Amino acid sequence: MLRLRVGSACGQPLSAADIDQGFAQLIDARSRFSHWYRRLDQHFIGPELAFAQAALRRIAQRPNGLLETTLLAPATAAAAPADMATLQAETLTLLEEHGYLVRDGQRLLFQSPLLRQYWKKHHGR
């Protein structure tokens, strides 16, 4: 693969450092990916927002995603009300519908590996 040097008509081979630098710039906090975090406030409030943020944070830590049952485990415990489990399951469905997540069998993972890396870097704690 060739890239053009600014001000030069000839190409130069891409190096691993070029790709790493481009990837780092792509997931920078000021990148286009930051709007995905800000969008959560438009779609969720209160406990739904907190759960959505926590679920995305947990999923971002695992390249193969997480089982939905793992994400919902605290909500299905005896102490959690049944309506909370329903609310959390609906939140996960909305995260899918809004393009954050995709299903692979029973696993939920980020639809975009780049978005997952952005999330892990900037919102993973």
Side-chain angles (χ1 to χ4, degrees), residues 48-83:
E48 300 95 345
L49 177 60
F51 176 75
Q53 291 170 333
L56 291 170
R57 184 172 41 254
R58 290 179 64 197
I59 293 169
Q61 297 303 318
R62 303 220 167 40
N64 296 326
L66 283 173
L67 292 171
E68 183 175 14
T69 53
T70 302
L71 289 164
L72 296 175
T76 56
D83 58 337

Side-chain angles (χ1 to χ4, degrees), residues 22 27 55-56 59 71 75 86 99 118 125:
I27 63 170
L56 291 170
I59 293 169
L71 289 164
T86 301
Y118 164 81
R125 299 181 212 288

Side-chain angles (χ1 to χ4, degrees), residues 20-83:
D20 291 343
Q21 179 185 8
F23 185 78
Q25 289 174 346
L26 185 62
I27 63 170
D28 187 335
R30 289 166 283 172
S31 76
R32 294 179 186 248
F33 289 106
S34 63
H35 84 280
W36 287 85
Y37 185 79
R38 292 189 309 267
R39 271 182 48 191
L40 291 175
D41 288 336
Q42 297 170 2
H43 300 292
F44 303 104
I45 57 170
E48 300 95 345
L49 177 60
F51 176 75
Q53 291 170 333
L56 291 170
R57 184 172 41 254
R58 290 179 64 197
I59 293 169
Q61 297 303 318
R62 303 220 167 40
N64 296 326
L66 283 173
L67 292 171
E68 183 175 14
T69 53
T70 302
L71 289 164
L72 296 175
T76 56
D83 58 337

Side-chain angles (χ1 to χ4, degrees), residues 89-110:
E90 290 171 356
T91 299
L92 292 175
T93 299
L94 284 172
L95 288 171
E96 283 181 83
E97 290 174 359
H98 289 285
Y100 292 85
L101 301 176
V102 67
R103 238 174 241 285
D104 182 12
Q106 292 297 309
R107 299 186 84 73
L108 288 166
L109 55 147
F110 274 85

